Structures are given as C-alpha cells and as structure tokens.
C-alpha cells in the first residue's frame, strides 16, 4: 500500500519545485524529504522525479501519482475541517436517553438552552428507563444517559457518573385511607394493602423498603405510567410509592394524598456519557448544572450512607 505521508511529500516537491523548498514548507529536513521520495520510488518501481537544473520536476509516472496525492490532500483537509466543526459544536449529534419524569420536569430548559447555543448540533431524545437507556449508550444509539439509582438498585459499574440531584419517594394513598390522616405514611402500617408499582428499579425499591418494614408487598398492578398509577390509587385499587418528580410531572389527580414516607427514601439521579464521550455530550452534561440542577457531589458507594443519614 502506498504511504500517504510520502504522497504528500511528492505533492510538496511538485508545488515548491525542489526538495529543499518542500522541506522548508513542510518543516522537516531536506534529507527526510529525499529519503521518503526514494522509498516512494522503490515502492512504485519507477522514477517519479527528475532534476532539470535546480528544479525538481515530476516524471509522467509522478504526474499520474500527483493527481491522487491532490485528491488525498483535499480529503484530509475536509476531514480535519469536519473534526474542528465537531469539536467546536458547529455540527454534530446529541442523542439523549432519559427516564420519563426527568425528561418532563428537568430536561426542557437545558435542551432549549443547548439548542440556542449550538444550533448546528442535531438533538434527539428518547424516553427510556435507566437500564434500557444504559443499553442504548453501550450500543452507540445514545450519546448521553440520565438515569437513577438507589440502595435497592445500585448505579452502573464501570461508567463515569456525575450525580445531579436527590428525588424523594412519596407514598400515594386514597383520601379515605386511614394513613392519609397523618403527617407521614408508615410503611409497616401498609403491609396489608395492595400495591401499584412501576419500572423495575422502582419495584426493586418498593420491595426493599417493604422488606425493611417486615413484609412482602402484594403488587396488584404494574405500570410505568405515573398518571395511571395515581388514578388506580384514587379508585381504591392500591397504594403506591412514587418519586416526587414523577408526581410533579403529572397533572393533579383528585382523590389521592401524597405523604412523605417513614422512613424517608430517595433515588439519586446521574448523568453519564460513557468513556469516550462526544463533544456535544460533554457540553450538555456541563450545561445541566447551569440551569438550576445542582450537582449533589455524591459517589456511587456513598448512596447508602447518604440515605441512612437522612
């Protein structure tokens, strides 16, 4: 295979008229230029240059090769320009995968700011629960993931994570439920109720909290739609443990009461762009903290300790 660097040296000699002038233009020593030209001629098995006085000219074979060298130089210039454009975010792609309640409550403002700041970057969003979103990141179908973890479902290992904020779980009860009259909902007192659960991580959290309270919850309904969950509660079909963000993202549902759980529990929200993040993903992750989302500065191993201290 022909060495690209040697082709570009041949091009420089043709443009500048001598090995010495080409060496000066390329910022290398003249013997280096001569060495590469000899190597290129050996690989071509035909002379490529000829001296005409002080000028170095190309032979017909050299001229034929020069056409390809010019095309390669143009292609390399275009590639370098494209890389600069991506690095400067004048072009590019940002595909975000985020869980639904965050996408509803926290994502629109930073997305709008990013779109105004980098109008050349194509932005996409897919709503996906955390495990599905992480699978999209690993497959290359997402550039950035916003997910959550808690004591029942630890954060993904082996990925660089930035922790954004806490989100407290609240117990959702029918208005007529006896527990709805207190300032808190005691998990142990709800052991006889049927439960409405959501995504896998939410269900793991519910099971863990119930186990802590000494019972196994009877999960009667499973839905990832938090509006549906609240309407099921309003119709006395069960009780639920829902994140505050999910409740706030839903329109008000009459006939329910939301109470802090006893003991209180939280999920921790993180953002990750993987090990080799695209420039757009890096810029957006940094932008998330600039629109009112305060990073909590918590490490994965600190989740349990943080939960226990509240």
């Amino acid at each position: 295979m022909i060495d690209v660097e040697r082709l570009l040296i041949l091009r420089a000699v043709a443009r500048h008229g001598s090995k010495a002038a080409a060496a000066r233009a390329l910022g290398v020593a003249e013997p280096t230029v001569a060495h590469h030209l000899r190597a290129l001629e050996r690989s071509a098995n035909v002379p490529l240059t000829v001296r005409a006085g002080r000028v170095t000219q190309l032979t017909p074979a050299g001229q034929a090769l020069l056409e390809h060298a010019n095309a390669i130089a143009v292609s390399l210039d275009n590639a370098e320009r494209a890389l600069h454009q991506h690095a400067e975010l004048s072009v590019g792609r940002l595909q975000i995968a985020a869980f639904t309640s965050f996408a509803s409550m926290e994502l629109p403002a930073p997305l709008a700011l990013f779109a105004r700041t980098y109008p050349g970057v194509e932005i996409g969003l897919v709503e996906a629960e955390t495990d599905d979103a992480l699978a999209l990141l690993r497959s290359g179908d997402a550039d950035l993931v916003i997910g959550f973890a808690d004591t029942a479902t630890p954060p993904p290992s082996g990925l660089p994570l930035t922790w954004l904020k806490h989100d407290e779980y609240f117990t959702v009860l029918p208005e007529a439920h006896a527990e709805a009259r207190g300032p808190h909902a005691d998990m142990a007192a709800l052991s006889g109720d049927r439960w409405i659960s959501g995504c896998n991580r939410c269900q793991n959290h519910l099971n863990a909290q119930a186990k802590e309270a000494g019972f196994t919850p009877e999960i009667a309904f499973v839905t990832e739609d938090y509006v549906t969950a609240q309407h099921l509660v309003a119709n006395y079909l069960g009780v639920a443990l829902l994140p505050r963000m999910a409740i706030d993202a839903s329109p008000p549902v009459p006939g329910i009461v939301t109470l802090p759980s006893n003991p209180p529990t939280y999920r921790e929200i993180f953002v990750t762009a993987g090990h080799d993040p695209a420039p757009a993903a890096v810029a957006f992750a940094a932008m998330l903290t600039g629109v009112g989302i305060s990073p909590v500065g918590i490490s994965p191993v600190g989740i349990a300790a943080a939960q226990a201290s509240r």
Side-chain angles (χ1 to χ4, degrees), residues 165-240:
K165 66 184 300 179
H166 310 298
D167 189 21
E168 184 174 359
Y169 282 95
F170 279 70
T171 305
V172 184
L173 305 167
E175 279 183 337
H177 198 290
E179 285 289 307
R181 292 191 291 270
H184 298 88
D186 190 344
M187 283 292 292
L190 300 173
S191 60
D193 285 86
R194 298 200 303 171
W195 288 83
I196 300 153
S197 184
C199 69
N200 288 337
R201 290 186 173 231
C202 294
Q203 194 165 142
N204 289 343
H205 181 77
L206 169 61
N207 286 328
Q209 296 310 307
K211 182 178 180 180
E212 186 88 8
F215 70 97
T216 299
E218 179 191 350
I219 299 176
F221 299 93
V222 176
T223 174
E224 295 185 9
D225 187 320
Y226 293 114
V227 177
T228 299
Q230 292 173 77
H231 278 285
L232 290 172
V233 172
N235 284 276
Y236 302 94
L237 293 170
V239 298

